[in-house]
Amino acid sequence: MSSQENASRLRRIVRIQAKPELADATRTALLELEQATQTESGCHEFRFFQSLSDEGSFILIEDFADAEALDHHMNLPHTQAFFTRNLTASITVIEPGWLS
């Protein structure tokens, strides 16, 4: 991968909090979303992890070729279907500065 390709990549960590009593449904929906998203041409990584101490809390690691690939992903039917299910209380992008 060239440095230019690396510079345009969009890597994010996202915290997802399920609505009360919807942790299982959220996990199932995230599994479906993960499987569909990983086949997208601009997707390098799309994986979620469920908290061991709070079953309604998830972390998503996403890595797209660029902002255009992420925008495309956000408009695809499987992504829109996830949001339409209205399972989450919050979705927050974690700012990169927390790592430093």
Side-chain angles (χ1 to χ4, degrees), residues 57-77:
S57 185
F58 301 87
I59 292 291
L60 169 66
I61 298 173
E62 56 185 12
D63 183 358
F64 287 91
D66 51 31
E68 185 177 320
L70 176 60
D71 288 343
H72 178 72
H73 160 72
M74 296 302 289
N75 290 298
L76 288 172

Side-chain angles (χ1 to χ4, degrees), residues 18-23 87 89:
K19 288 182 177 177
E21 309 300 321
L22 294 179
L87 299 168

Side-chain angles (χ1 to χ4, degrees), residues 1-11 44 63-66:
M1 174 182 310
S2 72
S3 60
Q4 184 178 14
E5 288 173 322
N6 197 30
S8 66
R9 281 178 74 165
L10 184 59
R11 297 180 191 110
H44 295 288
D63 183 358
F64 287 91
D66 51 31

Side-chain angles (χ1 to χ4, degrees), residues 36-73:
T37 302
Q38 289 177 345
T39 65
E40 295 173 26
S41 62
C43 179
H44 295 288
E45 181 177 14
F46 191 92
R47 296 169 42 143
F48 80 91
F49 302 89
Q50 187 173 21
S51 171
L52 295 174
S53 61
D54 176 4
E55 68 177 11
S57 185
F58 301 87
I59 292 291
L60 169 66
I61 298 173
E62 56 185 12
D63 183 358
F64 287 91
D66 51 31
E68 185 177 320
L70 176 60
D71 288 343
H72 178 72
H73 160 72

